[in-house]
Amino acid sequence: MKEYKNFINGKFMNSQSGRTFENRNPADWDEVVGIFPKSTADDINVAIEASKKAYKKWRDVPWPKRSEIMRRAAEILIEKKEDVAKLMTREMGKVIKETRGDVQEGIDTALYASIQGRKYYGYTLPSELQNKSCWTRRDPLGVWGLITPWNFPIAIPSWKIFPCLLSGNTAIIKPATYTPACAGELVQILHEAGVPDGVLNIVYGGGGEIGEALLHHEDIVGISFTGSSDIGKRIGEVCGQTLKRCSLELGGKNGEVVLRDANLDLALDGVLWGAFGTTGQRCTATSRLILEEPIYDTFIEMLKTKTEKLRLGNGLDERVDVGPLVSEAQRETVHSYVEIGKKEGATLLTGGEVYAEGECARGWFYRPTVFVDVLPTMRIAQEEIFGPVLSVIKAKNFEEAIEILNGTVYGLSSSIYTKDLAKAHKAIERAETGIVYINAQTIGAECHLPFGGMKNTGNGHREGGWTAYEIFTEVKTVYIDYSGTLQKAQIDTWEK
Ligand code: NAP
């Protein structure tokens, strides 16, 4: 068990409140993973002061020099990959092959930043006047608040930290209360890589207290938030009042469509990985399966057999497929949705109960659950459950399948299994989601491509790839007039 402290201006600090909280292993509640300061607005104020000061120097460091630090961070993360992955499994429960992938996403994002530092392009455009040049550049904004959820403890902080810092901003990160340790390790790696004091600070504590303090502070120029749609709306509201830049990556209710001509074995592997990977606690998790009528009965039979073979247990065991839920409260939420599904008249195909055999009795395990005969309007088909619960819906044909796919308030990820090229293209065109997969599951983003969703999944920004840099920079349009005369756009003519 490690005792963590806030890291502000290059120094470890306790909270001025003197309070702490502990983080426990969801697969083994007896294990305390770490103890953390329970910070207050006073601690946030200190971090913001340090970050403001650091910004004045950091913004002048050339992009390629900043990117060298990002490369060093990637190298250190590569060395520590296994240790960080194991810490993550202990901290939030997902199985070790997935936590290795989570750390790898951090490494990839750091390496992408190391390249991006030498190629962040502006535009050069012709002027409508003679002897005048026009171009754009991108500049940093200042001190950012980065607020992250618990389900991707390295990947999501990385998606924010690397583009934010590479762009010349400074930041305070407030990680989720369930996963503070991994974020703390990442901040130390960046410090070791050469990020100067004050440029990146971490303050631990509750969202309602220090998250709110970040939102309301007048020296914070922007908030980059990933989390639930409910908290996202609150953040958007406060940022709107003070005109802070605000990027929101929120919830999902993702659907996999399997058409009658699909490769069913492939679609089955896709839905098992999409629905029960990370115990269903991914924003892109497959929580709805939409089957075309002719293959419905066959597919649910195949699904039942394979779902029941999934092995539950402590994610550090390489043989385990499904780890625990992150907390007791999350398990209760999942179970309450199972009760709702039953009351709504859906048929429970498998699962629907707590799993407490052997060592699993000490953790927050829940059996992978499948409901069939689900109607698109039922709550289990509409609301984000964030657990291992899959709702299977029957569609008469392709058109109805796409209508069901789009029939939620969310719009993050969708997947269509078919061999029909025309239907695949039509689905890509019609899907109201920021990410569309053809013949692949709803999960599996790559760091160099835009990531984000439509409708209640966000406010139009995209993390990942080059688009993340658009969030963290301001476009500056530059006109240089070398004519030596007064020239007037829209008024002068070239014949003059
Ligand atoms: P959450 O409850 O919304 O919390 C997210 C973060 O916000 C946490 O750090 C939380 O702190 C903080 N927070 C809570 N209340 C706040 C407030 N009033 N002001 C400022 N910050 C506040 O979400 P979660 O349970 O951690 O994560 C699950 C959700 O994230 C799901 O809805 C999932 O779909 C979504 N998600 C979306 C994406 C995406 O890219 N679209 C990716 C991953 C997850 P505490 O931990 O201290 O409460």
Side-chain angles (χ1 to χ4, degrees):
M1 191 271 295
K2 184 169 163 183
E3 201 169 324
Y4 289 79
K5 293 184 189 247
N6 291 333
F7 190 69
I8 299 173
N9 206 17
K11 292 180 194 64
F12 291 105
M13 294 185 187
N14 286 319
S15 165
Q16 296 177 49
S17 71
R19 295 178 302 167
T20 56
F21 67 94
E22 52 178 42
N23 178 19
R24 286 175 181 256
N25 182 343
D28 179 359
W29 191 240
D30 293 336
E31 187 198 354
V32 178
V33 177
I35 294 188
F36 303 83
K38 196 168 182 187
S39 310
T40 65
D42 292 337
D43 303 306
I44 288 287
N45 293 343
V46 175
I48 291 174
E49 268 317 302
S51 211
K52 260 172 69 181
K53 225 166 133 192
Y55 174 66
K56 290 188 180 147
K57 281 194 178 165
W58 182 244
R59 69 179 172 199
D60 291 336
V61 176
W63 282 67
K65 296 293 158 197
R66 290 196 293 254
S67 72
E68 283 169 18
I69 297 177
M70 308 307 152
R71 197 196 62 233
R72 278 199 292 279
E75 286 160 1
I76 302 169
L77 201 47
I78 289 167
E79 274 166 35
K80 298 193 169 173
K81 180 172 171 180
E82 193 61 16
D83 289 346
V84 178
K86 284 186 176 146
L87 174 66
M88 195 187 300
T89 295
R90 286 169 52 226
E91 184 169 43
M92 58 74 71
K94 69 183 167 187
V95 300
I96 187 76
K97 66 171 176 270
E98 291 188 54
T99 56
R100 286 186 192 120
D102 192 314
V103 181
Q104 187 59 45
E105 204 162 333
I107 294 166
D108 295 344
T109 304
L111 290 173
Y112 184 85
S114 76
I115 301 164
Q116 199 70 0
R118 287 196 180 264
K119 60 184 266 296
Y120 205 77
Y121 307 119
Y123 291 94
T124 305
L125 296 113
S127 169
E128 58 188 62
L129 296 165
Q130 293 174 13
N131 299 316
K132 190 175 173 191
S133 71
C134 311
W135 46 281
T136 64
R137 54 178 278 148
R138 287 192 168 266
D139 286 310
L141 284 91
V143 184
W144 279 77
L146 312 177
I147 303 178
T148 54
W150 47 264
N151 63 340
F152 280 87
I154 290 287
I156 292 180
S158 297
W159 290 357
K160 299 184 187 305
I161 290 172
F162 287 105
C164 180
L165 265 47
L166 181 69
S167 302
N169 304 284
T170 57
I172 289 106
I173 180 162
K174 187 225 104 51
T177 297
Y178 287 132
T179 53
C182 285
E185 299 299 329
L186 182 63
V187 168
Q188 284 316 305
I189 286 168
L190 275 138
H191 184 64
E192 197 183 325
V195 168
D197 294 351
V199 168
L200 178 62
N201 309 276
I202 186 164
V203 181
Y204 301 103
E209 193 161 5
I210 60 166
E212 288 283 333
L214 276 173
L215 296 185
H216 284 95
H217 201 292
E218 60 178 14
D219 291 329
I220 291 287
V221 293
I223 297 285
S224 171
F225 172 83
T226 301
S228 60
S229 295
D230 284 347
I231 304 287
K233 283 178 192 164
R234 157 96 191 131
I235 287 175
E237 199 180 299
V238 178
C239 288
Q241 280 161 10
T242 49
L243 295 177
K244 284 188 194 340
R245 185 165 296 188
C246 167
S247 86
L248 303 172
E249 298 293 340
L250 310 174
K253 188 71 186 172
N254 315 287
E256 172 177 313
V257 173
V258 184
L259 297 180
R260 64 184 80 196
D261 67 326
N263 176 337
L264 298 191
D265 291 320
L266 183 68
L268 180 63
D269 286 344
V271 76
L272 289 167
W273 180 230
F276 305 123
T278 318
T279 322
Q281 302 167 114
R282 286 185 182 229
C283 51
T284 51
T286 311
S287 55
R288 296 177 299 144
L289 174 65
I290 303 154
L291 300 175
E292 210 178 350
E293 203 161 17
I295 50 125
Y296 186 85
D297 292 334
T298 313
F299 200 89
I300 57 176
E301 199 51 49
M302 291 162 70
L303 180 62
K304 182 174 189 299
T305 310
K306 278 236 180 161
T307 302
E308 288 172 355
K309 286 198 178 128
L310 292 171
R311 190 173 171 151
L312 276 75
N314 189 320
L316 289 176
D317 180 340
E318 304 269 359
R319 296 163 304 173
V320 163
D321 299 304
V322 183
L325 286 150
V326 75
S327 66
E328 187 176 21
Q330 194 69 19
R331 187 167 75 173
E332 279 168 10
T333 303
V334 167
H335 192 63
S336 70
Y337 270 105
V338 168
E339 294 302 321
I340 289 167
K342 286 189 206 161
K343 281 203 195 97
E344 284 180 312
T347 309
L348 186 62
L349 182 71
T350 184
E353 59 186 5
V354 161
Y355 180 78
E357 282 176 23
E359 288 184 352
C360 291
R362 297 206 303 273
W364 312 126
F365 292 89
Y366 201 83
R367 280 190 195 278
T369 299
V370 180
F371 275 108
V372 295
D373 304 330
V374 176
L375 300 177
T377 49
M378 288 179 178
R379 284 183 65 191
I380 55 168
Q382 288 292 326
E383 297 174 20
E384 186 181 44
I385 300 173
F386 226 54
V389 180
L390 177 68
S391 298
V392 186
I393 306 169
K394 194 187 287 180
K396 281 202 288 291
N397 50 36
F398 170 73
E399 281 72 26
E400 192 180 75
I402 298 299
E403 201 179 309
I404 295 168
L405 180 73
N406 288 335
T408 80
V409 295
Y410 297 104
L412 184 52
S413 176
S414 56
S415 138
I416 295 95
Y417 282 80
T418 180
K419 292 184 194 130
D420 184 327
L421 199 61
K423 283 185 178 151
H425 277 274
K426 202 37 127 184
I428 294 168
E429 204 178 293
R430 295 250 198 90
E432 294 170 0
T433 57
I435 308 165
V436 186
Y437 292 93
I438 299 297
N439 293 325
Q441 63 281 2
T442 59
I443 65 180
E446 298 181 31
C447 88
H448 55 294
L449 287 149
F451 181 94
M454 297 165 68
K455 304 198 279 193
N456 283 11
T457 294
N459 61 346
H461 291 285
R462 293 288 183 271
E463 294 195 308
W466 65 97
T467 43
Y469 291 83
E470 291 167 5
I471 297 172
F472 291 107
T473 52
E474 196 72 79
V475 177
K476 206 173 274 170
T477 306
V478 183
Y479 296 101
I480 302 180
D481 191 322
Y482 49 96
S483 68
T485 58
L486 175 69
Q487 298 203 88
K488 301 184 220 69
Q490 293 91 40
I491 294 170
D492 292 354
T493 58
W494 66 272
E495 295 101 332
K496 78 174 161 69

